[in-house]
Amino acid sequence: MNRRSNRPHLKKIQSICLGCLLLSMLSIAFLSVSGWMAPSLLAAPAELLAPAAESEAGSVQYAKEAGTKTLIFDKAGLLTREEAEELNALANRLGAKRETDIIIVTTDNPDQEDVMVLTQNFYDEMAPGYDRPHGNAVILTVDMYHREIYLAGFYKAEQYLDDSRLDLIRDQIIPYLSDGDYRTAFEIYIKKAHQYMGIRPGVDPENLLFQTWFQLTISCIIGGVVVGMMAYHSGGRVTVNHRTYEDKSTSGVVKQYDRYLRTTVTKRKIPKNDSRPGGWGGGGGGGVTRGGHSHSGSRGSF
Amino acid sequence: MPVIQYKCAGCGSGMTFDSTTGKLSCPSCGRQDDIEQIPDPLKKEVFEEGEVHEYQCNSCGAVIVTEPETSATSCSFCGSAVVLSDRLSGELAPALVIPFAISKEEAIRAFRKWCRNGLLTPSGFMNADRIKNITGIYVPFWLYDLDNDVEVRGYATKVRTYRRGDYIYTETHHFEIYRRIRLNYVRLPVDASEKMNDKLMDRLEPYPYDQLKPFKTPYLAGFIAEKYSYTDEELFPRAKEKIRPFIDSYISSTVSAFHTVRFTEKQIDTIAKQVKYALLPVWMVYYDFDKTEYTFAMNGQTGKVVGRPPISKGKVALWFSGVSAASFLVLKIVSWVMGGGFL
């Protein structure tokens, strides 16, 4: 009697729990997907609203509304105004989440300076930083004269975007730079800088386990297998095995041999995995600016 | 008279087999008779197969209508338990029987419990309140003692990899292998009834063989029993088919030291050393749900239930999303713990 009256409640609780889990999964999935893939979509209305600020000659300034910094310094003129505004909005939005200025500097480099020195001087002179002047910043400098790029992370970005992570970003954007698709290259740079800075330093940021699509796939496979097993076993399992009816006292191997025939050996060279796609070697690592700010770094040509 | 009925020596009512006590018991006065002590009338009479075409109930005189396979049933008029002795004697005499250990009430209770445990069964089904019919049947089985002489030949390899300098070496040792195995199986049950679904019956195994008893008719009183529809020779191929996976898994266990094995020859000689005719207890449950009849079988000794219940699409969806959501959450937490960020 008791058990019967309890059952509907139990069932209700069961379905409520399952429902909650489902909801949480959906919301997490939505959040992560929207956070990763739809920034440009989300950013679009902001741009429409932003008053089209006229750029002054020489200097490049966009969207001067409250809370929006200029983070794209396209002195080489690689982007159209719309592209620059869009990227600037994206860099502002994603940078704010990581408390870091995500900066892009392009130059024709009339003085033919080294790209790393250019980056260091930019940081010393412009004093960027999300939290304070000379604060958290990651800078991508594109030197159109030498066709070289340099990535540098300062303060929090130095810690989170170490040399190896900057190398990873560089490898991903160089093909686009070589093709002249600067907008895409810069967008990837901003998104990757944002993504990697959300991952604890010292961990491989491209670990498959951190990818939401991978997590979703794996969980759906687990769900499918579990339910499949449940359905398969709903008709009762076979609980006999090869030992159930075996008469152990009279069964066994009567005669056996393993005659050695021959041995074959194959050898394979261990691949060296220090070759990087695109650009020449690169690396170079970080350094200290003349102003005394230490930074991580990665350089390469395109 | 080919009909056997057990009358209570005390009050004259029809007696039936009581699965709880394992004795022949009288439902009216409660008298219990030890089956081992009762002389079996089967032993005295000799019939020719197919001789009798009509059976009359000893209690009420009505004609007992049965199917040709039935060897025990109850009179449809007065309800008294009858055993049709000519269908249990001579060639049709069972050698062994496992009596029921689960009574009808216990069977219904166990079935209800089983229904509630079905995670994917529709809620309406889980109440188990539409049991149309539940019947205790002694199903005819052949119990085979099979001796197998197995001879296999083939090629096998052992692989070793090691590193020296800048190279990875893969060293493969090739062997020619031979195994001769004696594999004996005892009391492998094969269902000999035409009516019973083989797959259903196979999943009911194993039966507790320590409960096997020499056959005596009183065990059938109050239940339905069938005689075999196929002889042991006819079912021998099926017995061989049943042990084939057992033999294969034994063979692989003898070559587990190798990394790859390819058999060129597998010869299995199977001899049926002994075959015994046994009646094994099965509760058949017929259940109506959603205009379809579902059939379930329950092992009359162990209470194991088999049979395909309907599957609720809603519950499948709920479980799938629930399990997926839980694993997704776990993966998220794992990635967060590893430093990957939660979103």
Side-chain angles (χ1 to χ4, degrees):
Chain A
M1 286 296 273
N2 244 339
R3 194 189 283 171
R4 265 204 183 179
S5 57
N6 281 340
R7 283 206 52 77
H9 294 284
L10 264 175
K11 223 182 281 166
K12 235 174 236 172
I13 293 167
Q14 199 182 0
S15 39
I16 289 170
C17 286
L18 284 171
C20 288
L21 272 171
L22 177 64
L23 266 180
S24 61
M25 176 176 91
L26 281 175
S27 53
I28 290 171
F30 176 74
L31 278 174
S32 13
V33 170
S34 67
W36 283 27
M37 294 181 176
S40 42
L41 281 175
L42 292 174
E47 277 160 43
L48 290 171
L49 288 172
E54 283 301 313
S55 64
E56 297 157 36
S59 78
V60 192
Q61 305 247 307
Y62 303 108
K64 280 259 183 174
E65 79 221 71
T68 307
K69 285 188 197 175
T70 302
L71 297 172
I72 316 287
F73 299 89
D74 185 18
K75 286 178 235 166
L78 303 178
L79 301 166
T80 66
R81 223 189 52 152
E82 289 75 32
E83 286 174 342
E85 273 174 18
E86 200 181 302
L87 290 172
N88 201 54
L90 181 66
N92 269 285
R93 205 169 52 76
L94 296 183
K97 285 192 193 164
R98 304 290 181 234
E99 300 176 327
T100 301
D101 279 357
I102 303 174
I103 298 166
I104 298 170
V105 182
T106 72
T107 172
D108 289 326
N109 200 6
D111 301 331
Q112 294 160 34
E113 279 181 283
D114 181 74
V115 70
M116 182 166 110
V117 176
L118 272 173
T119 312
Q120 290 176 341
N121 290 346
F122 177 88
Y123 189 80
D124 281 345
E125 285 158 23
M126 301 294 285
Y130 181 86
D131 47 341
R132 60 192 163 87
H134 292 124
N136 304 336
V138 52
I139 303 171
L140 164 65
T141 308
V142 180
D143 169 6
M144 292 307 287
Y145 183 84
H146 295 110
R147 290 189 74 79
E148 262 193 283
I149 61 166
Y150 190 75
L151 286 147
F154 292 89
Y155 296 99
K156 190 184 171 191
E158 179 182 12
Q159 196 195 344
Y160 277 84
L161 297 173
D162 56 12
D163 295 354
S164 66
R165 285 190 182 180
L166 290 177
D167 285 345
L168 278 175
I169 298 178
R170 187 171 51 83
D171 287 343
Q172 291 172 73
I173 65 173
I174 277 206
Y176 294 99
L177 291 172
S178 305
D179 291 349
D181 186 357
Y182 300 106
R183 201 200 71 85
T184 310
F186 295 160
E187 192 183 328
I188 292 171
Y189 153 71
I190 294 167
K191 284 183 182 170
K192 285 289 164 188
H194 164 258
Q195 182 197 330
Y196 290 179
M197 283 196 74
I199 298 168
R200 193 194 300 152
V203 179
D204 173 15
E206 288 296 334
N207 192 326
L208 216 51
L209 244 171
F210 299 158
Q211 318 283 324
T212 298
W213 66 265
F214 179 76
Q215 295 167 341
L216 268 176
T217 315
I218 293 295
S219 17
C220 285
I221 290 171
I222 294 174
V225 167
V226 168
V227 174
M229 292 292 278
M230 277 161 59
Y232 183 74
H233 287 308
S234 67
R237 297 161 192 255
V238 173
T239 43
V240 293
N241 57 33
H242 67 105
R243 275 190 288 274
T244 310
Y245 301 111
E246 192 186 305
D247 181 4
K248 276 172 207 71
S249 58
T250 56
S251 298
V253 176
V254 181
K255 199 177 153 195
Q256 64 169 323
Y257 62 75
D258 302 328
R259 202 158 59 81
Y260 171 77
L261 296 174
R262 64 189 179 275
T263 298
T264 52
V265 182
T266 57
K267 67 176 182 177
R268 190 167 56 86
K269 202 170 167 73
I270 297 165
K272 294 244 190 312
N273 44 5
D274 53 6
S275 59
R276 291 187 175 283
W280 51 268
V288 181
T289 70
R290 269 180 292 177
H293 304 286
S294 120
H295 63 87
S296 57
S298 169
R299 72 185 292 161
S301 61
F302 61 95
Chain B
M1 218 22 160
V3 176
I4 302 173
Q5 280 173 316
Y6 292 93
K7 296 284 175 205
C8 174
C11 67
S13 304
M15 297 179 90
T16 54
F17 175 69
D18 181 355
S19 57
T20 331
T21 56
K23 290 180 175 170
L24 200 61
S25 76
C26 172
S28 308
C29 65
R31 184 192 159 98
Q32 305 256 336
D33 282 346
D34 200 339
I35 287 170
E36 310 292 326
Q37 309 300 321
I38 302 172
D40 198 327
L42 268 186
K43 301 277 184 295
K44 298 174 206 152
E45 299 176 53
V46 181
F47 304 93
E48 270 173 49
E49 206 185 332
E51 177 193 17
V52 189
H53 300 291
E54 202 175 76
Y55 303 90
Q56 270 187 334
C57 174
N58 291 347
S59 300
C60 68
V63 172
I64 296 163
V65 185
T66 66
E67 292 181 52
E69 300 85 24
T70 310
S71 55
T73 183
S74 54
C75 171
S76 43
F77 287 93
C78 66
S80 38
V82 289
V83 175
L84 310 178
S85 52
D86 67 318
R87 292 180 180 179
L88 289 163
S89 52
E91 279 205 345
L92 298 169
L96 298 163
V97 63
I98 298 183
F100 275 91
I102 293 173
S103 69
K104 191 170 192 163
E105 290 69 36
E106 285 169 327
I108 292 173
R109 234 177 295 136
F111 179 71
R112 290 220 163 110
K113 196 171 161 218
W114 179 79
C115 281
R116 277 202 297 273
N117 290 343
L119 298 171
L120 297 178
T121 29
S123 334
F125 191 89
M126 287 167 93
N127 309 330
D129 54 1
R130 261 173 278 181
I131 295 177
K132 196 166 108 186
N133 193 6
I134 177 160
T135 329
I137 302 180
Y138 280 102
V139 179
F141 274 83
W142 292 110
L143 300 184
Y144 290 87
D145 283 4
L146 298 172
D147 284 9
N148 298 280
D149 186 7
V150 182
E151 216 172 354
V152 289
R153 285 172 212 280
Y155 295 97
T157 62
K158 278 183 187 171
V159 182
R160 188 169 77 97
T161 55
Y162 57 90
R163 226 183 122 140
R164 192 168 296 157
D166 283 344
Y167 290 91
I168 292 172
Y169 288 83
T170 309
E171 202 178 76
T172 312
H173 300 282
H174 299 261
F175 295 89
E176 186 194 331
I177 56 165
Y178 172 82
R179 299 282 183 275
R180 182 156 187 179
I181 306 161
R182 168 149 291 282
L183 261 181
N184 298 342
Y185 295 99
V186 286
R187 295 195 288 221
L188 176 93
V190 175
D191 131 53
S193 164
E194 195 182 353
K195 275 194 226 161
M196 297 295 162
N197 180 320
D198 286 351
K199 270 195 180 150
L200 214 58
M201 291 298 121
D202 284 356
R203 279 203 297 261
L204 279 179
E205 294 170 33
Y207 292 88
Y209 283 148
D210 52 334
Q211 297 298 317
L212 266 178
K213 293 185 164 54
F215 178 75
K216 288 210 158 211
T217 23
Y219 288 119
L220 309 188
F223 293 92
I224 288 180
E226 303 245 310
K227 70 182 179 68
Y228 62 81
S229 331
Y230 302 108
T231 63
D232 57 332
E233 280 100 18
E234 282 170 327
L235 288 174
F236 187 53
R238 169 135 167 78
K240 284 209 279 191
E241 185 193 312
K242 263 186 95 169
I243 54 167
R244 185 64 203 243
F246 302 162
I247 293 175
D248 283 339
S249 90
Y250 192 97
I251 294 172
S252 358
S253 76
T254 66
V255 293
S256 55
F258 296 102
H259 289 98
T260 65
V261 178
R262 184 169 55 86
F263 292 109
T264 52
E265 193 191 323
K266 240 184 207 183
Q267 198 167 330
I268 302 167
D269 285 331
T270 307
I271 320 164
K273 200 172 76 179
Q274 192 180 40
V275 188
K276 280 190 171 157
Y277 181 31
L279 296 181
L280 304 185
V282 176
W283 282 105
M284 296 300 293
V285 183
Y286 302 97
Y287 192 99
D288 263 342
F289 181 76
D290 223 9
K291 292 175 198 132
T292 319
E293 192 186 89
Y294 294 86
T295 306
F296 299 91
M298 184 190 293
N299 187 316
Q301 271 279 342
T302 61
K304 181 183 181 184
V305 181
V306 302
R308 264 203 191 279
I311 283 177
S312 144
K313 282 193 184 111
K315 284 200 177 179
V316 167
L318 215 62
W319 272 101
F320 174 75
S321 38
V323 172
S324 303
S327 8
F328 186 66
L329 215 65
V330 168
L331 280 172
K332 273 285 171 206
I333 289 166
V334 166
S335 102
W336 178 65
V337 166
M338 284 169 69
F342 198 71
L343 290 185

